[in-house]
Amino acid sequence: MPEPLRQLLARGTVLSVPGIYDGLSARLVELAGFEAAFLSGACLSFARFGRPDMGLVSAAEVAESVAVIRERTELPLIVDMDTGFGNALNVKRTVATFERAGASALQMEDQLMPKRCGHMQGKQVISSGEMVGKIHAALDARHSSDTLIFARTDALGVHGFEDALERAERYLEAGADAIFVEAPKTVAQMQIIGERFGHRTPLIHNLVEGGNSPVQTLEELQALAYRVALYPASLLHLFIPAAQKMLAELRQYGHVQGLRNQMIDLTAVNSLLGADELLAASEEYQFD
């Protein structure tokens, strides 16, 4: 069995967590040897619905995805639940539903619904008091204390750095299991965040290609007292240009033979996904 998320966070080293969005991506992350995965709301919107990260995915659609992924992997699963999909009462139902589906941790942000990607312009945030109430609702709703509640503030890009720090303080006091100050602009800001919170709670940071992160490596995050490095869209950011290249080749030449040495084949896919194990298991149910 994988090590529980709470224990992973207590080790004091940075936990590298790739973003996933379906059973295949979960399988790839597990086979690569990672210890946890992050169901990114952005990537779920990108990959499943072909939409930008602007609050267009419903709670039911996320819960269904959690259940599908949990069926495929036992890895600790951090689930992006955006704003909790409404007020404090909605948050209670969202937490109960996502936990039942298999979430190990739930990450909630203080944006105004409908939200948008944390690295986009035009975000709005609710009051810190309303977010504190939603954190209390999330904590009350979880069935197990092993299900962690992560609180994210997007206030830095809206009201500035000091407001973001004050909100992070209030969210930690409310009982959040980890704090996420989204999109710090400088290493100096990250140093202040680390000095103020790093010895008290796990700190989370987003490493988004094309985002606004002033650091890029686990070593930098370790030095700044951060504990979780999310790579929410890295898989898709690599898959999309590879897919575009293949489709352009097919469109131009009517075949993809020029790319065959870069492609996996059907036999390898079946092996990767455990077809032989399934076939062997089915033998148990064969009777004369």
Side-chain angles (χ1 to χ4, degrees):
M1 288 287 291
E3 192 172 349
L5 185 58
R6 191 182 292 278
Q7 293 181 26
L8 293 174
L9 295 179
R11 292 190 310 199
T13 55
V14 180
L15 182 65
S16 180
V17 187
I20 62 172
Y21 44 87
D22 60 9
L24 174 60
S25 55
R27 176 70 170 163
L28 293 173
V29 166
E30 185 172 41
L31 289 176
F34 288 92
E35 297 177 288
F38 174 53
L39 176 54
S40 161
C43 284
L44 185 60
S45 186
F46 298 160
R48 183 175 176 187
F49 300 102
R51 297 288 187 178
D53 183 21
M54 297 179 67
L56 300 174
V57 181
S58 72
E61 289 163 341
V62 178
E64 180 186 24
S65 297
V66 174
V68 167
I69 291 166
R70 177 50 72 214
E71 184 182 347
R72 197 63 189 92
T73 181
E74 294 183 349
L75 284 180
L77 184 60
I78 302 170
V79 176
D80 184 358
M81 69 169 187
D82 291 341
T83 64
F85 298 93
N87 63 19
L89 294 179
N90 297 114
V91 166
K92 291 189 73 170
R93 186 168 185 227
T94 299
V95 168
T97 302
F98 287 12
E99 183 182 38
R100 190 163 55 246
S104 307
L106 298 164
Q107 178 181 294
M108 181 170 59
E109 64 204 46
D110 59 5
Q111 282 198 52
L112 186 68
M113 190 82 172
K115 55 86 55 152
R116 61 182 61 190
C117 171
H119 291 261
M120 292 176 68
Q121 298 298 314
K123 297 185 295 182
Q124 299 180 67
V125 292
I126 61 176
S127 71
S128 59
E130 182 177 354
M131 181 63 173
V132 165
K134 291 168 78 168
I135 292 169
H136 282 295
L139 295 170
D140 287 345
R142 64 183 179 182
H143 178 73
S144 169
S145 60
D146 290 331
T147 302
L148 306 182
I149 304 299
F150 296 169
R152 168 177 140 180
T153 178
D154 285 69
L156 195 156
V158 182
H159 298 310
F161 186 55
E162 289 303 319
D163 185 55
L165 290 178
E166 291 173 9
R167 285 169 177 260
E169 190 69 57
R170 290 198 68 183
Y171 301 167
L172 181 59
E173 291 173 357
D177 295 299
I179 293 295
F180 183 177
V181 179
E182 175 68 304
K185 298 178 180 179
T186 65
V187 172
Q189 287 183 343
M190 295 185 68
Q191 287 174 328
I192 293 170
I193 295 167
E195 290 168 0
R196 182 161 174 176
F197 299 104
H199 65 289
R200 300 160 59 197
T201 190
L203 286 174
I204 303 166
H205 186 67
N206 248 347
L207 290 157
V208 184
E209 296 79 14
N212 301 317
S213 175
V215 302
Q216 299 299 326
T217 69
L218 299 184
E219 290 76 14
E220 290 173 295
L221 287 175
Q222 183 77 48
L224 293 166
Y226 280 71
R227 209 115 26 108
V228 180
L230 299 180
Y231 295 84
S234 296
L235 274 174
L236 271 184
H237 286 171
L238 182 64
F239 286 170
I240 289 171
Q244 290 174 319
K245 181 179 179 181
M246 186 281 290
L247 292 168
E249 184 97 353
L250 180 60
R251 177 67 174 166
Q252 182 173 0
Y253 300 112
H255 60 78
V256 293
Q257 292 307 305
L259 299 175
R260 279 293 289 115
N261 64 345
Q262 302 175 43
M263 298 170 70
I264 194 171
D265 63 19
L266 182 61
T267 300
V269 171
N270 281 327
S271 177
L272 183 148
L273 297 180
D276 289 343
E277 290 87 344
L278 281 177
L279 290 173
S282 71
E283 294 295 323
E284 298 180 22
Y285 305 102
Q286 298 296 322
F287 296 92
D288 294 330

